Amino acid sequence: MPHSVSLINTIAAGLGLALVFGFLAVRLRLPALVGYLLAGVIIGPFTPGFVADGSIAAQLAEIGVMLLMFGVGLHFSLDDLLAVRKIALPGALAQIAVATLLGGALALWWGWSWGEALVFGLALSVASTVVLLRALESLGILDSFTGRIAVGWLVVEDLAMVLVLVLMPPLAGALGGRSGEAAGSADPLWQTLGLTLLQVGGFVALMLVVGRRAFPWILWQVTRTGSRELFTLCVIAAAVSIAFASAALFGVSFALGAFFAGMVMRESEFSHRAAQESLPLRDAFAVLFFVSVGMLFDPSVLIERPLQVLAVVGVIVLGKSLAACALVLVFRYPLGTALTVSASLAQIGEFSFILAGLGVSLGVLPVEGQSLILAGALISIATNPLWFSLIAPLQKWLYARFPLARELESHDHPLAELPTTTEARYLSRQVVLVGYGRVGRRIAAELEANDIPYVVAEQNRELVEKLREAGIAAVWGDAAEPAVLVQAHIARARVLVVATPDAMNVRQMMEIARTLNPAIETVIRSHNEDEARLLTQETAATVFLGEQELAQAMARDVVRRAVAAV
């Protein structure tokens, strides 16, 4: 077969088999992700038959990572990132340390050197942002506060791995590898670290200062042409070119570069359209990412080293997940948040592959270590949707069996209770407002303008602190928990307004509110027409659908202008 068509072969075989096995996986009630991974194994070099071009598949997968991270940035503002910094930054660093110790201890037990053990542990400590995003999107909680914590946590992990990848070559000699030829530089370690921090900091500053002004302006200029093709081209070109430039000029990974590109483009009023236009390409290339992961997997390792593979999966799925759960609970966040973050981290992905490949090339990781990392990645990615599906039943089981689980909830925190000095007007006939995001803030402003008392229920602890400082009645916690609504005095409220984008627990909120206050009025926000219809039927609430309300508001304005013109 001519080399010139290897790209077409790889795309055709990858997408075609992914479709077939993804369909079979869904029919068997398994995640489609399992089918994509299996398709990669079949066209990989370790199974008989057709073998796709692994290097091309890896590059196509990298494009998928760029587009996916760009899409996340379009929905994830700098304010969202800063809002979770107090838990994401220390939590991610502590979890990396714990997972590295667990993986390193396992490698030392197998007789590896301490340098090999360190690299192996680091490879097991960082989760795949791509896998996480697919899981959060499928559950509809990407825009929730818990989803923002998970994304912020992994962004911190990615930044930490950028430093690790830069520092590995100069440290290879100290780790027992090839230092001179691998490092490529005789600079002192402190100078290398300082330069890396300066590069990353320069990139972030450039994107936030210059990018926030330049990219929205460019997008507006392209939009003025009226060409849909140019608009889509501008979005894709921005995602890929900025990601490439960030890696070439600042040493930042493609994924992080694309993520920050999306964040600054979010400042444009066309960010939602940009997200929609890039969605088909994001989905297609994300599938190729999982196919490329499957191509790296050698099934023989399951037969030759089954106990070692099982131990690696245990560190990934149990070890670091339990550590993350404990860390989130230490920060006094609800059990549901802790379990969601734990499930998010119960896998490894792209940075682990890069780290393993670099470790082997530098002689600080044995080839068998790379095989074990790939096996752990494949199994953990395939089983990750299962852990998310177990969150709700596990949470109920823990509540029923262990009193400590109930005590760990947020209702024993001072912010989870209204102050004793709260005025009586906020305790009766008030509005309970769940969520204080972009929609919640506007609703609160209208309530204040009409002198209507309200109490905010919000999961962001730092935001609740700011609301308290501003004299606004606010309670911290998940409104799907009875204790939170009780503290908001739902039993004597007039209206319950659910202004959060997370629709998973709306029914539970409605059930609790109606149980405590059968006469309460309920108003819900929704983004999906089918979901809005079901919520209206099941909860008898007033449901506002974004597109529908926008159309009605525009129609009213058009009618007003038309009548005035007559």
Side-chain angles (χ1 to χ4, degrees):
M1 185 68 67
H3 178 72
S4 58
V5 297
S6 60
L7 173 63
I8 299 175
N9 289 343
T10 303
I11 295 177
L15 293 180
L17 286 176
L19 172 62
V20 173
F21 287 100
F23 174 79
L24 292 176
V26 171
R27 295 289 293 178
L28 295 173
R29 297 188 176 182
L30 294 172
L33 177 61
V34 176
Y36 305 156
L37 293 169
L38 183 58
V41 174
I42 291 176
I43 64 175
F46 304 104
T47 53
F50 172 78
V51 177
D53 191 317
S55 62
I56 289 180
Q59 293 183 53
L60 293 172
E62 197 68 63
I63 296 176
V65 172
M66 293 181 201
L67 295 176
L68 191 62
M69 292 300 293
F70 177 77
V72 174
L74 286 171
H75 296 92
F76 201 90
S77 68
L78 180 62
D79 293 336
D80 294 334
L81 194 58
L82 294 177
V84 298
R85 69 189 185 280
K86 291 185 178 179
I87 181 175
L89 182 59
L93 296 179
Q95 178 260 309
I96 289 174
V98 172
T100 301
L101 288 174
L102 291 174
L106 191 63
L108 290 174
W109 185 43
W110 293 335
W112 297 8
S113 68
W114 71 270
E116 294 172 338
L118 177 61
V119 175
F120 184 73
L122 285 170
L124 300 186
S125 68
V126 56
S128 169
T129 310
V130 177
V131 175
L132 167 69
L133 296 176
R134 292 296 291 259
L136 295 181
E137 285 181 340
S138 65
L139 294 174
I141 60 174
L142 179 60
D143 293 328
S144 68
F145 182 67
T146 299
R148 291 197 294 269
I149 289 179
V151 173
W153 192 299
L154 263 69
V155 168
V156 175
E157 283 192 352
D158 289 351
L159 286 170
M161 287 304 110
V162 168
L163 294 177
V164 170
L165 292 173
V166 172
L167 292 175
M168 270 185 64
L171 288 175
L175 296 174
R178 297 180 290 274
S179 57
E181 58 181 0
S185 173
D187 294 335
L189 177 60
W190 66 268
Q191 185 174 340
T192 302
L193 178 60
L195 180 61
T196 300
L197 292 175
L198 185 63
Q199 286 178 320
V200 174
F203 167 73
V204 174
L206 181 66
M207 294 299 292
L208 296 181
V209 176
V210 179
R212 295 178 80 171
R213 296 177 180 271
F215 297 134
W217 180 83
I218 293 173
L219 199 61
W220 167 244
Q221 297 303 317
V222 173
T223 304
R224 292 177 61 184
T225 66
S227 173
R228 180 176 180 179
E229 300 87 44
L230 283 178
F231 183 88
T232 304
L233 179 60
C234 179
V235 172
I236 302 302
V240 177
S241 60
I242 293 173
F244 173 77
S246 65
L249 300 178
F250 297 95
V252 179
S253 68
F254 290 138
L256 280 177
F259 175 75
F260 278 100
M263 281 183 60
V264 297
M265 195 167 284
R266 186 181 186 273
E267 302 297 322
S268 169
E269 58 185 299
F270 301 102
S271 59
H272 292 292
R273 180 184 171 188
Q276 292 177 349
E277 296 289 346
S278 60
L279 182 61
L281 276 176
R282 292 208 317 263
D283 288 342
F285 279 101
V287 169
L288 289 175
F289 166 78
F290 293 110
V291 172
S292 70
V293 172
M295 290 177 63
L296 295 172
F297 178 61
D298 184 359
S300 65
V301 73
L302 299 175
I303 301 174
E304 297 172 357
R305 304 175 185 273
L307 295 181
Q308 288 182 318
V309 171
L310 187 61
V312 169
V313 173
V315 171
I316 297 170
V317 174
L318 295 178
K320 71 173 186 173
S321 297
L322 291 176
C325 182
L327 288 167
V328 175
L329 292 176
V330 166
F331 280 95
R332 304 289 297 276
Y333 280 86
L335 180 61
T337 300
L339 292 176
T340 301
V341 173
S342 298
S344 303
L345 299 172
Q347 39 82 15
I348 58 175
E350 55 273 10
F351 267 108
S352 301
F353 310 147
I354 299 171
L355 192 61
L358 181 61
V360 171
S361 67
L362 295 174
V364 293
L365 184 71
V367 177
E368 63 179 291
Q370 185 178 32
S371 299
L372 291 172
I373 290 171
L374 292 172
L378 186 70
I379 296 173
S380 63
I381 289 175
T383 58
N384 193 240
L386 173 64
W387 311 132
F388 276 100
S389 67
L390 293 177
I391 291 176
L394 178 59
Q395 190 173 353
K396 292 181 180 178
W397 183 79
L398 290 173
Y399 286 159
R401 297 292 183 91
F402 301 98
L404 179 61
R406 295 189 296 271
E407 295 175 7
L408 289 173
E409 282 301 287
S410 62
H411 56 74
D412 63 348
H413 192 280
L415 290 177
E417 300 178 0
L418 288 178
T420 56
T421 57
T422 303
E423 297 181 27
R425 65 192 298 261
Y426 296 104
L427 308 179
S428 179
R429 306 296 294 167
Q430 83 283 12
V431 174
V432 175
L433 176 59
V434 178
Y436 201 77
R438 293 187 298 272
V439 175
R441 285 195 297 269
R442 287 170 171 79
I443 295 174
E446 287 296 323
L447 294 175
E448 288 182 359
N450 290 275
D451 196 27
I452 299 175
Y454 64 93
V455 177
V456 176
E458 170 62 52
Q459 294 187 40
N460 187 334
R461 184 191 303 167
E462 288 74 23
L463 182 55
V464 173
E465 291 175 351
K466 292 180 180 178
L467 291 174
R468 293 276 184 95
E469 293 173 358
I472 298 175
V475 60
W476 171 59
D478 186 354
E481 296 297 328
V484 176
L485 290 179
V486 168
Q487 287 299 326
H489 290 257
I490 193 70
R492 303 178 66 182
R494 283 191 293 180
V495 184
L496 171 66
V497 182
V498 181
T500 63
D502 179 10
M504 288 191 64
N505 297 322
V506 167
R507 292 169 179 81
Q508 190 172 346
M509 295 179 198
M510 296 295 104
E511 183 179 348
I512 295 170
R514 293 272 166 74
T515 300
L516 298 174
N517 186 350
I520 194 170
E521 299 285 342
T522 53
V523 179
I524 304 173
R525 166 192 177 188
S526 177
H527 288 293
N528 182 279
E529 188 172 351
D530 294 333
E531 177 187 75
R533 183 174 61 255
L534 289 174
L535 287 173
T536 303
Q537 295 173 352
E538 296 176 8
T539 65
T542 302
V543 181
F544 287 87
L545 183 64
E547 291 80 1
Q548 179 180 341
E549 297 306 316
L550 175 62
Q552 291 177 352
M554 292 180 66
R556 286 194 297 268
D557 187 71
V558 170
V559 171
R560 180 184 62 81
R561 293 174 184 273
V563 172
V566 174

